Amino acid sequence: MNGIATLRRRLRSWIATRTPRVPGPWAIGRRRVYIVPTRYGYGYGLLLFTMLLGAMNYSNSMAFALTFLLAGIGLLAMHYTHGNLVNLSIAGSAVPPVFAGAQVHFSLRVVNPSASARYAIAAHWEDAGPRAQVDVAASDEVIADLPLDSQRRGWLPAPRFAVSTEFPLGLFHAWTWVELDMTGLVYPNPADAGLTPPAGGSGDGSRSGSRPGPEEFAGLRSYQPGDPLRSIDWKSLARQPPSLAQPQVKQFAEAEADTLWLDWQSLPASWHPERRLSQLARWVIDADAAGRRYGLRLPRFSREPGGGDAHRHACLTALALF
């Protein structure tokens, strides 16, 4: 077993030297395509060898013709299997973020610049796992989705993967190795719902209402001695009959934002950092779902209260990369 493990390690090291990590796109050249017979190919070759022995034993010209015809078909299949990969271009696409424990979906853009279609193009990670298979029409491109399990928060780089085919007869397996510079962002796994952010002590301003201020028009009221002249609504005064004219004063109100501070320091000091991050992720999700404005405070990081998808992504990204 140690010998097999050593051989695999050396093989991977050799593959790594021939397959650099590139941003893409990666064009598959002829010298990058490897090809070996499949188990059906070995069976096909054994059958041809048996037929050849029989033809030689009986000196049967028809048996010779059939054997050589089938051998020619096999060689032609090898040529088409190899050519089914050559000149294809592989590129990466945007990777949507996920929460820890979910699958990161790496999208591969398979581009066929040639005038002939390519069939049964498969892709899978170096250590096996999920397999994607697509057909690419002439001068067209398709997206192949390769999922990868995520275990921890942070950046998840895409490992090396193989692009292969056994088209048209399944007698030969042709493949090449590709390593694109793709990464997926993994958010912390959110804690279970139930615990709410503490009110007060961490800058919580979770009240909603209004108070006097200069922001929003809140109506009119009767003029009182001492009110500044600039606050009088002269337009309403002009619309009133002269005999009943009563000055009206504009009122303004400033809405108190329904804001919430999600603070690292508000959580128990005995908690493990990963538990704190999970709880903060849960609060970010809940605050966003409730439509509240919220800010985030971490050691060496602070984001002012806000809302929307971009704000949510920024907060979860800060937690993922903490």
Side-chain angles (χ1 to χ4, degrees):
M1 295 297 292
N2 291 335
I4 295 177
T6 302
L7 181 61
R8 286 181 176 176
R9 188 164 54 251
R10 290 181 177 178
L11 179 60
R12 289 190 177 186
S13 177
W14 178 79
I15 292 173
T17 58
R18 291 180 56 85
T19 312
R21 191 173 182 87
V22 296
W26 175 264
I28 303 176
R30 291 186 177 276
R31 301 185 63 181
R32 296 288 185 178
V33 178
Y34 312 99
I35 185 168
V36 294
T38 63
R39 59 179 180 173
Y40 302 109
Y42 284 114
Y44 189 79
L46 180 61
L47 176 63
L48 291 179
F49 181 71
T50 304
M51 292 176 61
L52 180 62
L53 291 180
M56 293 172 62
N57 184 56
Y58 293 103
S59 299
N60 190 317
S61 59
M62 294 299 294
F64 276 115
L66 179 60
T67 302
F68 294 146
L69 175 63
L70 293 178
I73 292 175
L75 292 175
L76 193 62
M78 180 176 65
H79 170 75
Y80 274 102
T81 301
H82 184 274
N84 200 38
L85 287 184
V86 175
N87 293 332
L88 284 179
S89 178
I90 311 296
S93 299
V95 183
V98 300
F99 291 96
Q103 287 188 326
V104 180
H105 289 267
F106 292 93
S107 297
L108 308 177
R109 192 159 50 90
V110 185
V111 182
N112 177 19
S114 67
S116 57
R118 308 296 179 92
Y119 299 100
I121 305 297
H124 64 84
W125 301 118
E126 183 178 19
D127 296 324
R131 179 186 180 94
Q133 182 168 302
V134 295
D135 297 329
V136 194
S139 303
D140 198 5
E141 62 180 59
V142 296
I143 298 295
D145 180 72
L146 272 183
L148 183 65
D149 292 334
S150 64
Q151 304 296 332
R152 295 177 296 180
R153 63 181 176 85
W155 291 112
L156 179 63
R160 186 180 299 112
F161 60 92
V163 180
S164 62
T165 184
E166 294 179 1
F167 178 83
L169 299 180
L171 300 179
F172 294 91
H173 179 79
W175 79 98
T176 187
W177 294 106
V178 183
E179 187 170 4
L180 296 178
D181 191 14
M182 296 189 299
T183 54
L185 182 62
V186 182
Y187 298 145
N189 187 28
D192 294 334
L195 184 64
T196 58
S202 61
D204 187 303
S206 56
R207 297 175 302 166
S208 67
S210 62
R211 62 186 180 189
E215 288 189 359
E216 297 182 7
F217 179 73
L220 300 173
R221 65 172 175 83
S222 299
Y223 174 83
Q224 296 178 2
D227 289 336
L229 294 179
R230 66 174 178 273
S231 64
I232 297 177
D233 186 15
W234 299 105
K235 291 183 178 180
S236 65
L237 183 62
R239 290 194 296 267
Q240 298 178 20
S243 59
L244 301 176
Q246 176 64 36
Q248 301 289 313
V249 176
K250 297 178 183 178
Q251 283 187 309
F252 295 90
E254 181 182 28
E256 289 187 358
D258 188 18
T259 58
L260 180 68
W261 275 105
L262 309 178
D263 199 333
W264 171 278
Q265 299 298 335
S266 67
L267 294 168
S270 59
W271 282 17
H272 189 276
E274 293 300 325
R275 185 180 179 185
R276 291 194 187 191
L277 294 173
S278 294
Q279 186 59 60
L280 289 171
R282 165 54 59 190
W283 286 346
V284 168
I285 296 171
D286 292 345
D288 180 75
R292 301 183 66 180
R293 287 173 53 84
Y294 58 94
L296 179 65
R297 289 196 184 108
L298 300 173
R300 302 181 301 278
F301 176 85
S302 178
R303 185 173 179 88
E304 293 299 316
D309 292 339
H311 182 71
R312 173 180 176 272
H313 173 68
C315 292
L316 291 176
T317 299
L319 296 174
L321 304 180
F322 177 75

